[in-house]
Amino acid sequence: MQIKSANFVTSVADIKKFPKLDMSQFCFVGKSNVGKSSLINFLVNQKNLAITSKTPGRTRLINLFLINNDFYFVDLPGYGFSASAKNITDSFSELIEEYFETSRSIKQVFILVDIRHGASENDIHMANFCMIKNLPFTVIATKADKLSKSEIKPAQQKIATALKIGVENVAVCSSLKKMGREQILEIIESKI
Ligand SMILES: Nc1nc2c(ncn2[C@@H]2O[C@H](COP(=O)(O)OP(=O)(O)O)[C@@H](O)[C@H]2O)c(=O)[nH]1
Ligand SMILES: [Mg+2]
C-alpha cells in the first residue's frame, strides 16, 4: 500500500472534543516512549508529522491524522506513567478507555511493546481489554535495532507468550533502521 498523503487533524485532551468519524480508524497504543510517534512518522514517511519526544510521559493527548483522505491514524496517550496510579486500572488512562467506549469504526489496534522490555502489566491489560471488547489487535515489537539478530525471535516469542497470542500476531519493527513497515501496511490495507 502507498501512503500518498498524511495530515494532522487535531489533538484532544477531552473525549467530548473528539470528532465523530465515519472512516476507518487504526489506533496506536503503548507506554510512553515506546516509539508510537516515531512509528507513525515511519509509516507515513514523514519526519515530523507526529511529534517524537525524548521525555517520557509528556504526551497526554489523542492525536488524529488523516491518511490518503481515506482512513485515520489515532495516536493515543502513553499509559503507565501516571504518578498517582494506585492500580492497573487507574494507570490505564481514562482518556484511552473513553476513546474505545465512544469510537466506532476502529479497524485495528496496534499495541506497541519495546522488544527489549517485553510486555508490561499495562500491555497485558490492554490486550485483555481488546479481547473483551472484540477489538482486533496486533502487537508491534518496537526498537528491534537494539537487539542482535539472534535475540529478536526469542524476544518476539516472549511477548506473544505473555499476552497469550500467537507469535504471528507480533510484528517486529524498527523505525530507526526502517524495518517492518510493509507488514504493518499490509495489515492496514487488508482492513480499510
Ligand atoms: N533505537 C530506536 N529508538 C527509537 C525507535 N523508535 C523511537 N525511538 C526513540 O524512542 C524515543 C521515544 O520515541 P517516541 O516516538 O516519541 O515514543 P512515544 O512516546 O511512544 O510516541 C525517542 O527518543 C525516539 O528517538 C527505534 O525504532 N529504534
Ligand atoms: Mg508520542
Side-chain angles (χ1 to χ4, degrees), residues 20-37:
K20 288 237 176 322
L21 307 174
D22 295 326
M23 291 186 283
S24 303
Q25 295 171 54
F26 296 87
C27 322
F28 298 84
V29 289
K31 69 173 187 204
S32 298
N33 228 31
V34 69
K36 287 183 298 295
S37 301

Side-chain angles (χ1 to χ4, degrees), residues 71-83:
F71 59 92
Y72 293 98
F73 279 174
V74 186
D75 182 10
L76 290 165
Y79 50 62
F81 270 88
S82 167

Side-chain angles (χ1 to χ4, degrees), residues 55-123:
T55 317
R58 282 284 170 81
T59 36
R60 288 265 164 263
L61 304 168
I62 299 178
N63 302 299
L64 184 66
F65 306 97
L66 176 61
I67 314 297
N68 290 354
N69 289 316
D70 189 24
F71 59 92
Y72 293 98
F73 279 174
V74 186
D75 182 10
L76 290 165
Y79 50 62
F81 270 88
S82 167
S84 63
K86 289 184 210 74
N87 57 41
I88 297 159
T89 313
D90 277 357
S91 60
F92 184 61
S93 160
E94 207 173 301
L95 187 56
I96 296 176
E97 288 213 48
E98 285 171 344
Y99 165 75
F100 284 114
E101 298 295 346
T102 52
S103 281
R104 303 286 166 255
S105 60
I106 298 169
K107 298 295 178 187
Q108 191 79 8
V109 180
F110 293 107
I111 303 176
L112 277 66
V113 175
D114 188 316
I115 197 161
R116 296 165 301 170
H117 303 154
S120 68
E121 285 299 314
N122 282 315
D123 298 323

